[in-house]
Amino acid sequence: MKLLPAILEIVKPLPVHSFFDGFSGSTRVSQMAAQEGYQVISNDISDWSRILATSYLKHDKPLGFYSELIEHLNAVSGYDGWFSEQYGGDDFGGSAVQSDGLKKPWQRHNTRKLDGIRDEIARLNLSEIDEAVALTSLMLALDSVDSTLGHFSSYLRKWSPRSYKKMILKTPHLFENNCDQTVLQDDIFNLGEVEADIAYFDPPYGSNNEKMPPSRVRYASYYHLWTSIIKNDKPELFGKVGRRVDTRDSVAISPFEEFRRGEDGRFLAVAAIDRLIAQTHARFILLSYSSGGRATISELSEVLTSYGNVKKVVKIDHKKNVMAEMKWSKKWLADNEQPFNEFLFLLER
Ligand SMILES: C[S@@+](CC[C@H](N)C(=O)[O-])C[C@H]1O[C@@H](n2cnc3c(N)ncnc32)[C@H](O)[C@@H]1O
């Protein structure tokens, strides 16, 4: 069972029209909600999520306009600019290890295209929405020729087969929007009150692994390269993978990814969820929880029951491809805490 149909199955019978996606990430949930006709408010702290949400939820021109724009970008010539210098690698008989011992996320022929296309997007002086569509297309194209494990915290030693392919931009799969959707980019705790019938929260649960430094599990450090492509700010970099200095370990981490306990003995991540639910006034709250995360399920259950009626707990078993509705009981929770299951909790306040 996939997450999206599970969410839909829970939300559809509820009397809700507006859907707040508080940590929208890839925006796949926001996109689904928009396609289902909900009035969507999509928020995430990261630049790349705002760009995706803007292009999928706010695009306002005929599709032909965007395909012309993308064709134009595909015709741009590449050159050795900042991205090639930092992130482009040469092929040494299949090895991606460069003469300085470092590995790179893309082959140079594609970072040259990236350099040319990113400059052209800036030169075109597009509207915010059109630029978002162009950048979305660029990110998707780069993603399809990368040589990583899906994020930019390490690069492969041997070039991936796809990294040899020439990067070609495609028009993103844009769908028609019936509502005037809203895209926000802020820390969830700075947003103030968001009016919505249901709030869906999928915060970035940290790792269970106490030995893993928090920076390794942070979204900002996983996806630092998307940030640099969007901002086009040629930031100062550090470390083997060339991370932006503003994703350094010393920069405060998201409270949801905190793996430590506070002075009261409670996980800081659970305290963050408590604060989040306290500030949310939507009638329904749907919380995603992955049990590989730090917030233990029984602590989480205490928080939820203190705010209202937990109407549903759904466990998604990715292996068996099933979604099981669970009875809400502490015993069950204790018995069922297996690593890396995904749960959905529906709370009615
Ligand atoms: C688990 S992901 C969400 C995934 C999303 N549901 C999806 O389907 O792609 C968590 C997201 O929370 C964002 N985030 C982290 N801290 C945040 C904060 N304080 N406020 C808002 N968003 C935050 C991250 O940028 C990341 O995209």
Side-chain angles (χ1 to χ4, degrees), residues 63-320:
L63 287 189
F65 170 86
Y66 297 112
S67 47
E68 258 180 49
L69 171 63
I70 301 302
E71 252 175 62
H72 171 78
L73 294 176
N74 274 323
V76 168
S77 329
Y79 80 103
D80 278 301
W82 186 81
F83 287 105
S84 298
E85 192 186 314
Q86 303 297 342
Y87 300 109
D90 297 312
D91 178 21
F92 297 98
S95 167
V97 182
Q98 306 297 297
S99 51
D100 56 4
L102 297 179
K103 296 168 281 172
K104 301 286 173 176
W106 292 292
Q107 295 209 20
R108 185 177 304 281
H109 64 98
N110 281 326
T111 52
R112 286 172 54 86
K113 291 290 286 182
L114 163 60
D115 274 310
I117 291 173
R118 186 62 191 89
D119 284 353
E120 181 63 6
I121 293 174
R123 198 192 64 79
L124 287 173
N125 227 341
L126 299 166
S127 74
E128 190 193 338
I129 295 173
D130 298 347
E131 183 170 285
V133 175
L135 289 172
T136 295
S137 169
L138 180 58
M139 287 193 283
L140 294 175
L142 282 164
D143 195 48
S144 69
V145 294
D146 72 349
S147 194
T148 74
L149 288 173
H151 48 72
F152 303 111
S153 55
S154 68
Y155 310 135
L156 301 179
R157 181 162 277 281
K158 263 183 71 182
W159 286 114
S160 68
R162 66 213 219 136
S163 68
Y164 290 90
K165 291 195 187 136
K166 185 174 151 208
M167 169 175 84
I168 296 174
L169 274 58
K170 295 190 184 121
T171 315
H173 291 291
L174 302 175
F175 49 87
E176 217 162 291
N177 278 309
N178 300 320
C179 304
D180 187 14
Q181 315 292 21
T182 307
V183 175
L184 306 170
Q185 181 188 4
D186 211 336
D187 184 321
I188 196 95
F189 292 119
N190 290 340
L191 275 182
E193 177 137 15
V194 173
E195 291 265 338
D197 300 325
I198 186 162
Y200 170 63
F201 293 137
D202 182 15
Y205 297 104
S207 160
N208 258 334
N209 185 347
E210 308 241 356
K211 294 196 186 85
M212 193 187 257
S215 63
R216 307 287 318 259
V217 298
R218 290 174 58 202
Y219 277 77
S221 62
Y222 263 20
Y223 301 119
H224 58 94
L225 246 158
W226 297 145
T227 309
S228 297
I229 288 168
I230 290 162
K231 292 194 156 149
N232 203 17
D233 57 354
K234 305 180 172 54
E236 196 187 322
L237 305 175
F238 76 99
K240 284 188 179 163
V241 296
R243 248 162 64 191
R244 301 172 62 87
V245 289
D246 58 10
T247 64
R248 264 191 197 283
D249 305 7
S250 53
V251 179
I253 73 162
S254 154
F256 299 102
E257 292 170 272
E258 265 289 1
F259 56 87
R260 291 172 299 178
R261 288 178 188 271
E263 275 170 17
D264 58 358
R266 215 155 65 126
F267 280 121
L268 291 169
V270 175
I273 288 167
D274 196 336
R275 196 175 145 211
L276 174 64
I277 294 178
Q279 74 161 32
T280 305
H281 297 282
R283 175 170 165 200
F284 297 101
I285 296 178
L286 187 62
L287 182 73
S288 266
Y289 170 76
S290 77
S291 64
R294 225 329 145 197
T296 75
I297 207 154
S298 51
E299 287 187 50
L300 200 59
S301 77
E302 256 169 54
V303 169
L304 293 174
T305 41
S306 72
Y307 285 101
N309 175 14
V310 177
K311 293 190 73 164
K312 252 184 203 170
V313 184
V314 165
K315 176 176 156 190
I316 299 165
D317 189 327
H318 289 295
K319 265 201 211 119
K320 294 199 194 123

Side-chain angles (χ1 to χ4, degrees), residues 19 40 294:
F19 187 110
V40 178
R294 225 329 145 197

